[in-house]
Amino acid sequence: MAKKNTTTNQSKTDKPRLRLFSFFKKRETQIVLGILLVGVSIYLSIVVLSFLLTGSADYSKVNTRSFAELSQLEGNIRNFGGGFGAWISNFIVNHWFGFPILFPILFVGAMGLRLFGIQRIKPVQLFFITSFSLIWSSLALGFFFRTLYEGSFLYWGGAHGHFASIWMRKQIGWPGVFLILLSTLLIFLLFVRPGFVQKIGLKLKQIASNRTPIRFQKETLEESSLEPESDAAVDIEAGTVPEEFEESWTTEPSPIHQAVTVQRNTEHEQKQPVKQEEILPEPDDIDFEIRVGSEDDQTETIEEELPTEPIIRTVNGREEYDASYMGEYDPKRDLSRYKYPDTDLLPMYEKSETVINTEEQNSNKRRIQEVLEQFGIRISSITATVGATVTLYEIIPEPGIRISRIKSLENDIALSLAALGIRIIAPIPGKGTIGIEVPNRDPQIVSMHGVLNSRKFKDSKYELPIALGRTITNDIFMVDLCKMPHVLVAGATGQGKSVGLNAMITSLLYKKHPAELKFVLIDPKMVEFNIYSSIEKHFLAKLPDDGKAIITDFTKVIQTLNSLTREMDDRYNLLMMANVRNIKEYNSKFVSRHLNPEKGHKFLPYIVVVIDEFGDLIMTAGKEIEMPIARIAQKARAVGIHMIIATQRPTTNIITGTIKANFPARVAFRVISVTDSRTILDASGANQLIGRGDLLFSQGSDLVRVQCAFVDTPEVLNVTNFISNQPGYSRAFELPEPQTEGGSTGLASEVGERDPMFEDAARLIVMHQQGSTSLIQRKFSIGYNRAGRIVDQLEAAGIIGPNEGSKARQVLVDDEYHLENVLSQLK
């Protein structure tokens, strides 16, 4: 009884479902639904396509409104679908999947046609194709056309494609996104159109093997010469081609010969010339069969074997090395996952854009014109160019006015404008105008974030790009340190000199990989460059066994500069062996594996030497500092060693003629006197700057006024912490040991000439198994020259090996027992 009641209740529940199912099975219901679906599909297609043409006019009217606010639309709506059409098209295109939204719209229309019975489709297969096409196309459009719709009303791939492509680029980079798109497309085509992928593979294989199809030339054959029996076949096999076919048979050798058997149709056995047909790729239209020959018929393919070891040949008496079969050498391989710093680490200040004060401009124009008219100087026009801290007023005097008269009124114009400092450029190079630079009442900060995030910096092809800031015309001012090739920076205390040095270093950190660039930071003040100590294993270079990478001790400064001169000489020897002229050609040749590493060749990073408070070093060490700097400045450009030195006292006893002659690029912040300005720039002007990063850049005869980008200490720490948190090298880049003074070829091998600490130093070297001058100097608290002489004596005694550049010397004695035998023999 209970079972009967359960069955009755279940049947009662199923009755509404059956009625609903039968309702949709009715032909009338399907036709009505089909009409609705097709109508919705056509309407949405129209409004989406209309959005492409009219979206720019309707975007501002519908973008911020909800569906309930459509009745409040004001103004004319240009979309063909009216207000709702403009709103829904903006919503589904920009906020969803972009123009690939047409795929599901067409899917709805196709389902409507299926209900009509007009179109026979497989709903599940079509749904899969539509879903893949929607997601893939949205991501592809967002990836490839991201730069086209910046600042536009239209997102081609919609919000999905835009933000998904940005997220994927940050995770795997643009090559990874491109490979994912390509591979998923091929997989999709493999399932949807299997023959399509096979045709592509066959086509690529044919191109790779340079294979040409077998063709028959049209030729009239004599019936008597090729008249087989009625049901026989004419077999044309490899190696048995008739003489009549020898010239017309053209094929490339293949691993397996194919025999083509051409069947004759008995219904057409008439005495007519037999025309040879071209064998097409499609086998359905031509009656032929392919027979694979036996192993005896196979021919050997001759392939050029790739080299498996380096090729060394002699050309014109010079040895040439070629290991290109291994592919290009990647200098970034050891730190292949290194990520460059992001500009989000630097703050964007509120007043980053130039604000034009029209009232201030008009007032200054009027006062300049009044002052000039008071002295009988009339001008025909005056224009203003507003910068971040300075406005340039360009005037054109009437004919007959001498420029020197305007130049002499500099102080009078400054008095009239009540300005801090006026600078007159008479005339402006390249223009027929006279410039008057007037400081703004409300100066603005030039953000380092905006400078490094600019298109000019990102697309820069400079080898060592340095972004200093913005010019008066608000253009990004950049220079290439490789072309300068050394920079002399000067400025009074507190005028922005240290910030300028940080801006230069930060620019290079944002652009170069640790394998491509190394810094030698010399800081006599001990506090300016300490913020860069955390990136020692990434970007810094130092002497072997030196404790700190930031050099602050005067004796270490001399040793480091001498070491750099030795590095310079070693690099020139490598360039001479490679038969190239500069480091760029050398590295290019090494990357292409045309230089033998066993001959001492290696990838050479750029080395940038930054010296703060150069004047303090000159006063302490004098010629010992000046001479190696002069040598490096004169010769080191071609081998990739560049210098940036800064001083707050640009006097003639600090910046000597030797230094000035080898530092053509000068950066002058505000100085106290016109004498200092002429010392650094060979011209006046630096004494008229307003300070706080206002600078003049000179590389030749022209002076460019720049507002230096501001980068504060916390910002630099953000950058260095970002770099230091990534894996680095095992140690800092080691410079070679410098040559010591007074070293002789005999190396003081006689007992009487040896240092009193010779034996103790020998025991120390053997104990640590490390032949280093710095180790002896540190353990015995002696000077570098004396430690160097002891190392030379140890080499002469056969205890340590010769110098190997930046590497520590090899210790030739294994333990103290053998050392005692060596010392006893020397006695």
Side-chain angles (χ1 to χ4, degrees), residues 634-673:
Q634 288 171 355
K635 296 177 55 179
R637 171 182 182 176
V639 293
I641 302 177
H642 305 274
M643 301 194 72
I644 302 173
I645 62 175
T647 180
Q648 63 181 357
R649 290 181 297 176
T651 57
T652 54
N653 60 335
I654 302 297
I655 304 177
T656 62
T658 304
I659 297 297
K660 289 181 63 175
N662 294 288
F663 284 78
R666 302 5 168 0
V667 175
F669 292 87
R670 187 170 183 265
V671 294
I672 303 303
S673 65

Side-chain angles (χ1 to χ4, degrees), residues 65-207:
R65 297 182 183 274
S66 63
F67 179 81
E69 297 174 339
L70 291 179
S71 59
Q72 303 176 6
L73 288 175
E74 298 178 1
N76 296 327
I77 300 297
R78 300 182 60 182
N79 192 287
F80 295 160
F84 177 77
W87 180 83
I88 193 65
S89 61
N90 175 67
F91 185 80
I92 64 178
V93 171
N94 280 337
H95 296 274
W96 282 8
F97 291 92
F99 277 98
I101 198 68
L102 288 172
F103 288 108
I105 293 175
L106 296 177
F107 172 78
V108 172
M111 295 301 297
L113 295 176
R114 183 177 184 274
L115 292 175
F116 278 132
I118 298 176
Q119 185 74 16
R120 292 188 177 183
I121 58 175
K122 298 178 180 180
V124 177
Q125 181 180 4
L126 184 61
F127 177 79
F128 170 76
I129 295 175
T130 302
S131 301
F132 176 85
S133 302
L134 175 68
I135 297 174
W136 189 91
S137 301
S138 174
L139 182 59
L141 290 175
F143 175 70
F144 290 108
F145 297 99
R146 182 170 62 92
T147 57
L148 294 181
Y149 48 70
E150 290 182 354
S152 173
F153 73 97
L154 178 61
Y155 282 73
W156 286 88
H160 166 266
H162 177 69
F163 294 107
S165 63
I166 291 177
W167 181 82
M168 293 179 68
R169 283 171 68 98
K170 288 183 178 180
Q171 300 301 319
I172 58 178
W174 71 263
V177 181
F178 178 81
L179 291 176
I180 287 178
L181 290 173
L182 180 61
S183 59
T184 52
L185 178 62
L186 292 177
I187 294 173
F188 173 75
L189 293 176
L190 181 63
F191 283 96
V192 177
R193 296 285 301 277
F196 178 78
V197 178
Q198 290 181 355
K199 288 181 180 179
I200 293 179
L202 291 174
K203 188 66 177 176
L204 294 176
K205 185 177 180 181
Q206 180 180 352
I207 294 174

Side-chain angles (χ1 to χ4, degrees), residues 276-445:
Q276 300 170 359
E277 298 292 336
E278 177 179 332
I279 297 178
L280 300 176
E282 296 293 334
D284 297 332
D285 299 330
I286 300 175
D287 186 15
F288 73 100
E289 69 179 33
I290 300 176
R291 295 186 304 169
V292 179
S294 63
E295 294 182 359
D296 297 335
D297 297 331
Q298 297 180 9
T299 59
E300 297 182 358
T301 58
I302 301 175
E303 297 182 357
E304 183 180 355
E305 295 184 359
L306 295 176
T308 57
E309 58 183 14
I311 301 173
I312 301 177
R313 63 174 69 94
T314 302
V315 180
N316 296 329
R318 184 180 296 273
E319 183 181 284
E320 290 190 358
Y321 176 87
D322 186 4
S324 56
Y325 72 94
M326 299 174 61
E328 289 191 347
Y329 170 77
D330 183 12
K332 305 177 184 179
R333 180 181 56 188
D334 294 338
L335 299 182
S336 58
R337 296 186 179 180
Y338 175 80
K339 293 183 179 180
Y340 292 86
D342 192 83
T343 52
D344 294 338
L345 299 171
L346 305 173
M348 189 70 179
Y349 297 98
E350 295 180 356
K351 296 182 180 180
S352 58
E353 297 182 357
T354 303
V355 178
I356 299 177
N357 190 337
T358 307
E359 181 181 354
E360 179 184 354
Q361 284 186 32
N362 294 333
S363 175
N364 289 341
K365 287 181 182 179
R366 185 179 65 255
R367 291 180 180 179
I368 290 173
Q369 194 168 2
E370 289 176 354
V371 172
L372 294 177
E373 288 180 353
Q374 289 176 3
F375 292 91
I377 300 175
R378 297 183 177 274
I379 57 176
S380 57
S381 67
I382 181 171
T383 57
T385 303
V386 182
T389 57
V390 176
T391 299
L392 174 64
Y393 296 91
E394 298 183 45
I395 62 174
I396 301 178
E398 292 185 351
I401 302 297
R402 298 182 61 181
I403 295 178
S404 58
R405 292 183 58 191
I406 301 177
K407 184 74 174 176
S408 62
L409 299 177
E410 191 171 66
N411 295 332
D412 297 282
I413 297 175
L415 178 63
S416 175
L417 299 177
L420 179 62
I422 299 297
R423 180 170 172 262
I424 295 181
I425 310 172
I428 297 178
K431 296 183 178 180
T433 59
I434 297 174
I436 302 177
E437 294 176 346
V438 181
N440 296 335
R441 296 177 184 173
D442 186 17
Q444 300 173 19
I445 298 176

